[in-house]
Amino acid sequence: MNVLLIGGGGREHAIAWKLAQSKNLGKLYITPGNAGTARCGENVPIAASDVGKLVEFARQNKVGIVIVGPEDPLAAGVVDQMEKSGIKAFGPSAGAAQLEADKAFAKQLMRASAISTAEGRIFARFSDAKAYIASRDKAVVVKAAGLAQGKGVIICDDPADGILAAEKILVDKIFGSAGDKIVVEDKLLGEEASILAFVDGRNIYVMESSQDHKPIGDGDTGPNTGGMGAYSPAPVVTEEMMDRITREILVPVVDGMNRNGTPYKGVLYAGLMITGAGPRVLEFNVRFGDPETQPILARLKSDLLEVCLAVCDGRLDEVTLRWDERPAVCVVMASGGYPGDYQKGKIITGLEQAEQLEDVVVFHAGTKKQNGDIVTNGGRVLGVTALSHTIADAKTRAYEAVGKIKFEGAYWRKDIADKAIKLTK
Ligand code: AMP
Ligand code: GLY
């Protein structure tokens, strides 16, 4: 079967790498892809946002299933358009993608379904937001309701800063129309975890847990990024905690989406704070997380194409997910300056030496081929991923591989997985 994979980050390289292992894969096309996905299939230069061209390409190339990586094409209705043309597509409809694309929608759905999340309110007018924040008089988190590339969240320990953040988003429009509405919520304390599940509208199949590292600096300092590294499993998510997450969060959200007339299909990602009082939802994403997908898929033993088809056909109960018991750690190597300005086009060396290490796979994110070299082409450049029998050993192995890779200005966090290592001691 021919497959079209939409996207071009580390997540998409991990998906392409896994799909390439499927016995039923025909041709794999990736739009637009990167230098890593080019090793798993054929990159096609169509932007992930060009829905019309993507549908035309899928039709002309006898694509049996389209798998969508990023949120923007999902929110733009790529799945609806593919299905209208009779092409199977893995991911939620535009209506269901609101769960990520509109944080106000997500907050209302959680309220209606009695799902535990931070106490919060939705505002379109600055004066109302200001009065609310002043009346709470505690640390708040101010979030642009729309899609803002993971950057639309401002954590404010002082309410005065919360009022300033609300003004910047609602009045100064620092996130454009993504900030036409904001969610203001209480700041939660605890350990974060990412729970990803396959959902076929009815059945839910939870994957192994993982944890991201959002801030740029060691010890979780500095501004947030798309994610600087991840590991799987997350020890904070014990078996008992996973049962609670399934019962108290995943089942009610899938039911709530059905009641709302926007049934959910694809990967459902719950970003959680594990607090002393139990799991609380920080956000939902409507797709595989990045970088979490890199260590998760490195551990998946089952055929990913088969699982994606089962999701589209509403028969997720017929497949089983088998996992490598060993933990995986993924360290993101980024361009110097990211998440601010950075340069592109730096030659990357040492990739082969890194991949020669046992149980190491180097997923590409912002890379491309140029005059026979592989060069940097984005903020997050590589996700160096290693498996081993302990999480501490997987960390050592991942950093050993990182040490072999060179490009000018390369930056990476030095403490990926330390939280997990501390918890498992
Ligand atoms: P989001 O995009 O909503 O996941 O927010 C990005 C990051 O901000 C999360 O991964 C958390 O680290 C942090 N965050 C979001 N909401 C809260 C909250 N209510 N309390 C504490 N931290 C939060
Ligand atoms: N790693 C967070 C995200 O994918 O949004």
Side-chain angles (χ1 to χ4, degrees):
M1 173 181 287
N2 294 346
V3 178
L4 168 60
L5 170 62
I6 298 176
R11 161 183 54 214
E12 285 76 22
H13 187 195
I15 296 171
W17 171 82
K18 196 64 214 165
L19 289 172
Q21 298 166 16
S22 169
K23 57 184 188 312
N24 292 320
L25 182 72
K27 282 210 74 164
L28 173 61
Y29 301 103
I30 309 101
T31 55
N34 57 36
T37 63
R39 297 200 311 232
C40 312
E42 183 183 332
N43 287 350
V44 183
I46 304 176
S49 55
D50 199 340
V51 173
K53 269 213 183 117
L54 290 168
V55 174
E56 195 184 309
F57 180 86
R59 214 189 290 144
Q60 281 171 356
N61 291 277
K62 302 196 169 35
V63 164
I65 182 170
V66 177
I67 299 174
V68 189
E71 61 277 20
D72 294 308
L74 291 166
V78 73
V79 167
D80 313 61
Q81 293 303 320
M82 290 289 176
E83 287 177 347
K84 230 184 247 169
S85 299
I87 300 161
K88 225 170 249 187
F90 176 88
S93 65
Q98 288 177 89
L99 199 54
E100 173 171 358
D102 183 356
K103 286 183 191 291
F105 172 93
K107 210 71 185 167
Q108 279 154 352
L109 189 109
M110 283 188 266
R111 198 171 295 151
S113 306
I115 294 169
S116 294
T117 177
E119 171 72 27
R121 295 273 186 286
I122 301 155
F123 299 99
R125 283 200 348 217
F126 171 61
S127 54
D128 298 340
K130 184 178 172 182
Y132 175 75
I133 297 169
S135 74
R136 301 289 289 171
D137 194 29
K138 54 163 125 169
V140 288
V141 180
V142 182
K143 304 181 175 187
L147 292 178
Q149 250 127 42
K151 294 177 191 141
V153 172
I154 307 176
I155 297 171
C156 310
D157 289 315
D158 184 334
D161 292 337
I163 292 171
L164 274 177
E167 186 169 22
K168 278 192 207 148
I169 301 178
L170 282 172
V171 182
D172 303 341
K173 296 282 180 206
I174 57 167
F175 301 120
S177 60
D180 286 347
K181 276 183 290 180
I182 58 170
V183 173
V184 178
E185 62 184 32
D186 291 353
K187 182 180 170 187
L188 296 175
L189 297 177
E191 191 74 39
E192 281 186 59
S194 306
I195 301 298
L196 281 66
F198 291 104
V199 179
D200 70 358
R202 192 169 46 100
N203 301 293
I204 300 169
Y205 208 144
V206 186
M207 295 180 228
E208 291 279 285
S209 61
S210 62
Q211 182 160 2
D212 191 3
H213 297 66
K214 287 239 182 210
I216 187 75
D218 288 358
D220 287 337
T221 52
N224 269 356
T225 67
M228 293 302 294
Y231 54 82
S232 169
V236 67
V237 184
T238 57
E239 222 170 283
E240 189 194 355
M241 184 56 69
M242 191 67 119
D243 283 346
R244 278 193 71 177
I245 292 165
T246 304
R247 224 179 27 247
E248 297 174 17
I249 295 166
L250 300 176
V251 170
V253 76
V254 170
D255 284 349
M257 291 297 275
N258 277 325
R259 269 199 310 276
N260 189 55
T262 47
Y264 197 89
K265 175 188 74 160
V267 170
L268 175 61
Y269 166 134
L272 305 175
M273 189 71 87
I274 310 297
T275 72
R280 301 281 180 269
V281 176
L282 298 178
E283 66 165 342
F284 288 113
N285 291 324
V286 295
R287 51 175 172 82
F288 281 108
D290 197 4
E292 293 94 323
T293 298
Q294 300 176 55
I296 290 176
L297 290 188
R299 299 184 58 215
L300 180 67
K301 285 182 159 175
S302 309
D303 186 322
L304 179 63
L305 178 54
E306 204 179 291
V307 179
C308 292
L309 286 166
V311 165
C312 290
D313 297 343
R315 45 175 187 79
L316 193 50
D317 47 339
E318 290 174 20
V319 298
T320 44
L321 297 181
R322 285 174 301 110
W323 299 98
D324 195 321
E325 288 296 317
R326 295 173 303 164
V329 172
C330 165
V331 178
V332 169
M333 296 181 77
S335 298
Y338 174 79
D341 293 339
Y342 55 84
Q343 291 179 349
K344 293 181 184 177
K346 307 292 181 197
I347 294 176
I348 307 170
T349 59
L351 289 166
E352 274 173 31
Q353 288 85 333
E355 288 201 297
Q356 270 161 13
L357 296 171
E358 207 187 335
D359 291 316
V360 168
V361 38
V362 180
F363 293 119
H364 290 222
T367 68
K368 71 171 182 183
K369 230 173 171 175
Q370 190 174 287
N371 305 326
D373 291 317
I374 293 181
V375 301
T376 64
N377 191 39
R380 291 189 291 173
V381 177
L382 300 165
V384 182
T385 307
L387 287 158
S388 196
H389 54 284
T390 65
I391 199 142
D393 211 53
K395 175 190 170 185
T396 305
R397 198 171 280 194
Y399 278 105
E400 192 187 336
V402 166
K404 298 201 180 289
I405 300 172
K406 306 271 180 275
F407 56 89
E408 195 189 314
Y411 169 82
W412 60 90
R413 273 180 66 160
K414 313 293 182 293
D415 63 341
I416 302 302
D418 281 358
K419 280 185 232 168
I421 294 167
K422 222 181 271 162
L423 275 172
T424 45
K425 259 187 191 147

